[in-house]
């Protein structure tokens, strides 16, 4: 029995997009990453801190050792505070559990599926597929698109437009302005 191939288009080649691409590749699912910038993970001061659960995922993807080798500024102590600044929990010797910078691209085997200088311009959805057109006019077809291109992304904006057409109450208007408030009220044991 022949199964239909499935293709995921990923808008954005940063940590989220590349992590998804690597997971898809390891599971034999076709993908295409469209990154707006001319290179993957340019060194523009960006970094990422990872908690133990994130490092576990990197270990499962075969990236843990490479990340640990690249750790430049290990953190010794991390404090979690509530919205009023009250200490909820602190973790000592955190440098053994945390590190960061983008190395996922190096682990992707088929680099031809990661395209740079491909800023998503429009997304057209139909019952059977999605067509993504980039700023330079190239079109890519897939079964689903994942927006991993940031809070001000084209994919996110078009998702809001589609949701408004179907049901205006689906997405909170505060998301569009990037207005988010985090209030930690949970207790950690």
């Amino acid at each position: 029995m022949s199964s239909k191939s499935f293709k995921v288009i990923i808008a954005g080649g940063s940590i989220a997009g590349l992590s998804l691409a690597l997971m898809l590749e390891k599971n034999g699912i076709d993908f295409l990453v469209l990154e707006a910038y001319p290179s993957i993970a340019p060194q523009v001061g960006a970094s990422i801190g990872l908690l133990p659960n994130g490092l576990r995922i990197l270990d499962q993807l075969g990236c843990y050792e490479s990340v640990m080798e690249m750790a430049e500024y290990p953190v010794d102590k991390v404090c979690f505070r509530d919205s009023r600044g009250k200490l909820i929990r602190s973790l000592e010797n955190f440098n053994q559990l945390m590190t960061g910078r983008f190395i996922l691209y190096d682990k992707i085997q088929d680099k031809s599926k990661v395209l740079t200088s491909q800023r998503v311009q429009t997304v057209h959805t139909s019952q059977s597929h999605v067509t993504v057109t980039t700023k330079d006019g190239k079109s890519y077809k897939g079964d689903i698109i994942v927006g991993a291109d940031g809070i001000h992304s084209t994919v996110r904006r078009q998702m809001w437009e589609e949701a408004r057409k179907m049901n205006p109450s689906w997405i909170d208007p505060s998301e569009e302005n990037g207005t988010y408030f985090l209030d930690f009220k949970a207790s950690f044991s």
Side-chain angles (χ1 to χ4, degrees):
M1 175 169 44
S2 172
S3 64
K4 178 188 177 294
S5 63
F6 189 82
K7 185 173 190 171
V8 178
I9 298 177
I10 304 167
S14 195
I15 191 108
L18 293 175
S19 293
L20 176 59
L22 188 54
M23 288 176 210
L24 293 170
E25 185 176 68
K26 286 186 173 286
N27 286 285
I29 299 171
D30 194 14
F31 68 91
L32 181 68
V33 176
L34 301 175
E35 169 56 42
Y37 289 101
S39 64
I40 294 295
Q43 294 304 314
V44 290
S47 64
I48 184 168
L50 298 171
L51 293 169
N53 60 338
L55 290 173
R56 187 184 76 239
I57 298 299
L58 289 178
D59 187 41
Q60 291 170 350
L61 292 172
C63 300
Y64 177 81
E65 287 80 14
S66 298
V67 169
M68 293 307 288
E69 288 171 10
M70 294 184 73
E72 287 185 48
Y73 304 105
V75 175
D76 292 322
K77 182 177 180 179
V78 173
C79 298
F80 294 94
R81 299 183 181 276
D82 67 15
S83 61
R84 294 185 181 141
K86 182 181 175 189
L87 183 66
I88 297 172
R89 172 130 179 159
S90 67
L91 301 172
E92 304 290 332
N93 299 320
F94 198 68
N95 61 339
Q96 297 173 359
L97 304 173
M98 172 185 166
T99 191
R101 287 213 357 206
F102 304 101
I103 60 142
L104 294 163
Y105 177 72
D106 292 338
K107 296 294 181 178
I108 294 175
Q109 297 299 305
D110 188 352
K111 306 265 192 298
S112 71
K113 294 184 178 198
V114 180
L115 307 179
T116 57
S117 299
Q118 296 298 304
R119 183 175 299 277
V120 173
Q121 187 78 24
T122 62
V123 177
H124 179 265
T125 58
S126 72
Q127 292 291 340
S128 62
H129 66 277
V130 60
T131 303
V132 176
T133 305
T134 60
K135 191 173 183 180
D136 64 358
K138 294 181 182 172
S139 291
Y140 303 94
K141 190 175 173 180
D143 294 284
I144 188 173
I145 182 164
V146 175
D149 51 344
I151 192 168
H152 301 293
S153 76
T154 301
V155 174
R156 183 181 209 125
R157 188 179 66 248
Q158 291 193 3
M159 179 182 71
W160 287 326
E161 290 171 13
E162 291 294 321
R164 278 189 201 107
K165 289 176 193 174
M166 295 177 162
N167 184 337
S169 67
W170 278 357
I171 298 178
D172 187 321
S174 69
E175 286 186 37
E176 196 164 353
N177 299 323
T179 308
Y180 300 101
F181 298 97
L182 299 176
D183 188 7
F184 292 101
K185 293 184 179 173
S187 63
F188 295 87
S189 53

